[in-house]
Amino acid sequence: MKNIYRIFITAALLAAAVGGASAQNLRTAYFMDKSVESHNLNPAFAPERGYVTVPFIGSTFASYTSNQLALSDIFYQRDGRLVTFLDTSVDAGEFLKGLRSNNQMNVDMRYDIVQAGWWKGQAFWSFGIGVRVNTSIGVPKSLFEFLKDGNGYDGRLYDITGLRMKADAYTELAVVIRAISTVGGPSAGV
């Protein structure tokens, strides 16, 4: 039974950690002149030409941030293979020394179901439907100690009262009109 808990908690932590794999792509789009994604970071930006995303194959954004826990704290290279911190080849002291008493992790994801944008006269219109999930997880160091060292057979008690999770999930519908002013710069309006 204790292995089921370890597997479940490890899977949840790994899922949270993997979220950062593509986080830099959308932030880079902010500085790309011809990117149609830049308007997601600044609604005042208008692409040079119209666009349509393929329904259900739209853009995906994932971001992972933490006050301490990085992928290198979860995965270790041992004997030419990649293992998690739960592997017996990873020393408990080596793993636990890099953790704080309270480890904060944030995972933000956005999936665009459909998006379209087009020029009509001097205004750029855009429409989008998407799904967003913002998750915040607080994990006390004692939970990691429990996962690595065992379940208290030595009489030790693990205090996990700081364990918490908050998630906001919602569907987003956006209609944005960017009108070109007479001065020559774009202005945003909804």
Side-chain angles (χ1 to χ4, degrees):
M1 188 69 165
K2 74 176 186 175
N3 286 337
I4 292 173
Y5 290 122
R6 284 184 178 188
I7 291 169
F8 175 74
I9 293 171
T10 302
L13 291 173
L14 292 175
V18 171
S22 65
Q24 195 60 34
N25 292 340
L26 186 59
R27 292 183 184 138
T28 302
Y30 185 85
F31 300 102
M32 297 173 67
D33 292 336
K34 298 185 190 287
S35 172
V36 296
E37 287 294 323
S38 61
H39 75 281
N40 285 320
L41 293 170
N42 185 345
F45 288 164
E48 292 180 3
R49 58 184 174 275
Y51 65 91
V52 176
T53 62
V54 178
F56 301 103
I57 309 178
S59 64
T60 302
F61 169 78
S63 170
Y64 168 76
T65 58
S66 174
N67 67 343
Q68 182 67 30
L69 197 61
L71 288 175
S72 61
D73 296 322
I74 295 174
F75 297 103
Y76 293 83
Q77 193 75 351
R78 296 290 192 261
D79 300 324
R81 59 189 180 102
L82 193 62
V83 298
T84 68
F85 67 92
L86 294 174
D87 193 85
T88 56
S89 67
V90 177
D91 179 58
E94 177 187 3
F95 166 66
L96 295 171
K97 75 177 177 187
L99 298 179
R100 293 185 178 185
S101 58
N102 255 325
N103 300 280
Q104 176 70 31
M105 295 170 280
N106 302 304
V107 178
D108 299 321
M109 293 188 278
R110 189 188 85 230
Y111 173 70
D112 295 325
I113 298 170
V114 65
Q115 278 192 348
W118 61 93
W119 282 98
K120 175 112 172 118
Q122 291 293 313
F124 186 81
W125 293 68
S126 64
F127 168 81
I129 300 174
V131 178
R132 290 189 178 224
V133 178
N134 302 317
T135 307
S136 175
I137 304 166
V139 182
K141 184 176 183 177
S142 58
L143 180 61
F144 290 108
E145 291 171 344
F146 168 72
L147 290 171
K148 186 64 183 161
D149 291 336
N151 63 1
Y153 289 135
D154 60 355
R156 183 173 174 192
L157 298 176
Y158 298 92
D159 180 12
I160 60 168
T161 54
L163 182 64
R164 62 180 175 73
M165 179 177 170
K166 177 187 175 215
D168 296 317
Y170 55 95
T171 302
E172 178 179 66
L173 171 64
V175 176
V176 179
I177 306 164
R178 293 163 199 84
I180 302 301
S181 69
T182 55
V183 183
S187 61
V190 176

